[in-house]
Structure formats: structure tokens, C-alpha cells
């Protein structure tokens, strides 16, 4: 399975913070925003990842992540010149996807929960069509909503419904088989001139090949594209890390635990940041797991 991080957009909801930088380079507590969605793809077992962003943002993202080889990944980059919709990621990344299934995650989405890696890998291994990930919200009229029947099967998808029939907000994480590229090529722009991801999901639903996994109690999902949600995510990570002594979305640790790098490499990466708490943690975890 290939991975795509769609890290585009102009970040207008975050002004003036994003006048001079990409919103994916802002911080969630002690790590850049993009570490968090990238960590989700790594936990799903993906190593071949395309980062799509604006021409202005790509240099900073390249400086941060390079080609990913230092953490055992193959990271490539592509431009989205204008915000033409989430589904355009499959047109931009068609060569990257090829004949493989693909996981797409939005570059400002934050996920965390016990057992999440197990869920991700199970969905990857059993993929037939598409898998969407739902999260219960108190204001479903603001989201794309997935309705399920009594057996948990997905029966409808509705964008920002006036009378929601469910509280399952469809998050910014999507698993698709390789048919998604052809489905995206057949889309027409919506009234706002974008290729809508909801239309892709509707196509799979009509085929009877769409599944919704509900991330309920014990999970946290945030769209960190506002000042308040960015702060909420930072506070959440701070509490988890300080109280439990673990790190959330620590890419080097994930790479070590997944076998993408060895303990010596992890220690060396930590040593390059040893003046920071993050770097010292990497050195400690390398010694523990080495």
C-alpha cells in the first residue's frame, strides 16, 4: 500500500500564523504538525509516501523530512498549485499509486488511541474497496457524515446535513484500492470548483464496497487547522507525554519499533538533537530497545 499526505491549502484559517510558513510546519507541542499524520501512515506499515503541498510550502517540508531515508521511508513530493479538492490528490499522485492500494491522510489531521496500529493494519490487510474512519461529534451538521445500519454497515454519506442521521463524522483518513485513481479521473468539479472526496466515497458506496470504522471511546481525532484545535492538540500531547513518559508521533521511535532503522541509527539521530528533550528521549529509547 502506498501513502499520500495531502498537506496543501493556504492556511487562511490560521492567519497571521501562516503568513510566513505552512500550517503543517507549525507545532503541536514539541513536533511539527506533519509528524502526526505521517506517523499514522507509518503505524499502518507504509513506507512509500508522497507529500503533496503548495509550491511555497514544499521547500520547508523537504528541509524537514528530506527523502525519508533516515527513518527508513521513501518520501517524494508533488505540487498542488491551487486548492482544487482532496480528490485531486489521486490525479497528482496517479504515478505514485500505480496499481497499488493507497492510504490518504490530510496533513492537519491528528489521531491518537490505544490499539490504533492494530486497527490500521487490519483495515489495510482486508481492504476491499474503501475504508473510511468515523468519529462521533456533537455538531454533525458541520461534517461529512456516514450513516450505518444496525449491523454497522455503511448505508449513506451526506455532506454537512441539515438533519443528520448519525454523529459519525468522516475523518481525514481514507484507505482505497487502486480503482480510486480511475474514479477520481471521472469526477466533475463541484459548485465550488473542487474534486470532492465525498464523490469518491459515494462511488464506492454505490458499488457496495465502502466500509466505515468508528473510532469511538478511547480515541482522539482533531482537525488542527484552527488556532483552538492546534492548542487543544498541543495540550493533549503534553498531558500524554508528561504523565505516561511516552512520545506521540515520534517518527524515529516508530521507525525503530517497526524495524525500519536499527538502534544505532536511532541513537545517532537523537544525538544530533541532544540539547532537546526529544533528542535525549531518542537516545534513551535506542539504548532500551537496542
Amino acid at each position: 500500500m502506498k501513502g499520500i499526505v495531502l498537506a496543501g491549502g493556504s492556511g487562511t484559517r490560521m492567519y497571521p500564523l501562516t503568513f510566513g510558513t505552512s500550517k503543517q510546519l507549525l507545532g503541536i507541542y514539541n513536533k511539527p504538525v506533519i509528524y502526526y499524520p505521517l506517523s499514522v501512515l507509518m503505524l499502518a506499515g507504509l513506507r512509500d509516501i508522497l507529500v503533496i503541498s503548495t509550491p511555497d510550502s514544499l521547500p520547508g517540508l523537504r528541509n524537514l523530512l528530506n527523502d525519508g531515508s533516515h527513518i527508513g521511508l521513501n518520501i517524494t513530493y508533488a505540487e498542488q498549485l491551487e486548492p482544487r479538492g482532496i480528490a485531486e490528490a489521486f490525479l497528482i499522485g496517479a504515478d505514485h499509486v500505480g496499481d497499488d492500494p493507497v492510504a490518504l491522510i490530510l496533513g492537519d489531521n491528528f489521531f491518537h488511541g490505544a490499539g490504533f496500529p492494530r486497527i490500521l493494519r487490519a483495515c489495510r490487510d482486508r481492504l476491499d474497496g474503501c475504508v473510511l474512519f468515523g468519529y462521533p461529534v456533537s455538531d454533525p451538521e458541520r461534517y461529512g457524515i456516514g450513516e450505518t445500519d444496525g449491523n454497522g454497515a455503511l448505508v449513506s454519506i451526506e455532506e454537512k446535513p441539515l438533519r443528520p442521521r448519525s454523529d459519525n463524522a468522516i475523518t481525514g483518513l481514507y484507505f482505497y484500492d487502486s480503482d480510486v485513481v480511475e474514479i477520481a479521473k471521472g469526477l466533475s468539479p463541484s459548485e465550488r470548483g473542487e474534486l470532492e472526496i465525498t464523490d469518491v466515497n459515494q462511488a464506492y458506496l454505490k458499488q457496495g464496497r465502502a466500509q466505515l470504522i468508528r473510532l469511538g471511546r478511547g480515541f482522539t481525532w482533531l482537525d488542527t487547522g484552527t488556532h483552538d484545535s492546534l492548542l487543544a492538540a498541543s495540550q493533549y500531547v503534553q498531558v500524554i507525554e508528561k504523565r505516561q513518559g511516552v512520545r506521540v508521533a515520534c517518527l524515529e521511535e516508530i521507525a525503530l519499533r517497526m524495524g525500519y532503522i536499527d538502534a544505532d541509527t536511532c541513537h545517532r539521530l537523537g544525538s544530533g538533537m541532544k540539547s532537546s528533550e526529544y533528542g535525549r528521549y531518542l537516545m534513551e529509547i535506542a539504548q532500551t530497545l537496542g
Side-chain angles (χ1 to χ4, degrees):
M1 175 178 269
K2 302 291 182 59
I4 296 177
V5 181
L6 181 57
S10 54
T12 54
R13 291 186 296 169
M14 301 291 284
Y15 284 169
L17 279 177
T18 50
F19 275 140
T21 190
S22 164
K23 64 181 178 180
Q24 284 81 22
L25 294 177
L26 299 175
I28 293 179
Y29 187 44
N30 53 6
K31 293 173 286 295
V33 168
I34 199 170
Y35 271 38
Y36 295 85
L38 185 56
S39 73
V40 172
L41 299 185
M42 292 178 68
L43 291 171
L46 278 58
R47 302 180 69 173
D48 197 351
I49 297 168
L50 176 67
V51 175
I52 299 175
S53 192
T54 64
D56 289 342
S57 296
L58 280 177
L61 293 169
R62 281 196 178 98
N63 287 338
L64 175 67
L65 302 172
N66 297 298
D67 64 359
S69 59
H70 62 292
I71 51 174
L73 304 181
N74 175 35
I75 299 178
T76 53
Y77 301 86
E79 294 182 348
Q80 186 180 41
L81 299 178
E82 297 178 8
R84 298 193 184 98
I86 296 172
E88 191 189 27
F90 301 114
L91 305 185
I92 296 171
D95 290 340
H96 170 74
V97 175
D99 296 324
D100 294 314
V102 60
L104 169 68
I105 189 167
L106 303 186
D108 57 5
N109 269 222
F110 174 94
F111 294 86
H112 186 254
F116 196 33
R118 173 182 52 79
I119 293 172
L120 292 170
R121 291 169 205 166
C123 291
R124 178 201 65 193
D125 293 341
R126 297 197 301 262
L127 181 64
D128 178 20
C130 85
V131 175
L132 310 176
F133 295 85
Y135 188 82
V137 294
S138 59
D139 49 353
E141 65 279 356
R142 295 181 54 236
Y143 299 90
I145 296 297
E147 178 192 9
T148 56
D149 63 17
N151 297 318
L154 185 63
V155 295
S156 74
I157 301 170
E158 195 172 3
E159 190 68 27
K160 297 181 179 178
L162 294 176
R163 295 180 177 82
R165 292 178 285 187
S166 167
D167 65 352
N168 283 318
I170 296 174
T171 68
L173 173 63
Y174 318 86
F175 284 12
Y176 299 103
D177 64 15
S178 59
D179 292 345
V180 71
V181 173
E182 289 304 313
I183 290 173
K185 288 179 179 178
L187 296 181
S188 297
S190 64
E191 291 182 357
R192 59 178 184 169
E194 296 189 1
L195 299 179
E196 305 289 353
I197 198 68
T198 297
D199 292 340
V200 173
N201 298 333
Q202 291 281 12
Y204 278 101
L205 182 61
K206 290 177 182 177
Q207 296 174 10
R209 297 197 302 135
Q211 180 184 6
L212 180 73
I213 301 297
R214 181 179 170 96
L215 303 176
R217 185 181 296 273
F219 283 88
T220 297
W221 167 65
L222 292 167
D223 169 358
T224 63
T226 68
H227 300 105
D228 286 344
S229 60
L230 187 69
L231 177 60
S234 293
Q235 292 172 331
Y236 176 89
V237 173
Q238 181 189 38
V239 169
I240 293 292
E241 295 195 352
K242 291 296 185 182
R243 290 187 179 177
Q244 299 183 8
V246 299
R247 293 295 181 271
V248 179
C250 178
L251 303 185
E252 296 86 352
E253 180 183 3
I254 294 171
L256 176 60
R257 292 183 181 276
M258 298 286 286
Y260 299 168
I261 60 173
D262 58 25
D264 288 342
T265 300
C266 184
H267 191 279
R268 176 174 52 80
L269 293 172
S271 180
M273 298 181 278
K274 63 184 178 181
S275 61
S276 70
E277 185 178 345
Y278 185 90
R280 292 191 293 273
Y281 174 81
L282 291 182
M283 296 167 70
E284 292 170 6
I285 204 72
Q287 292 174 341
T288 301
L289 299 178

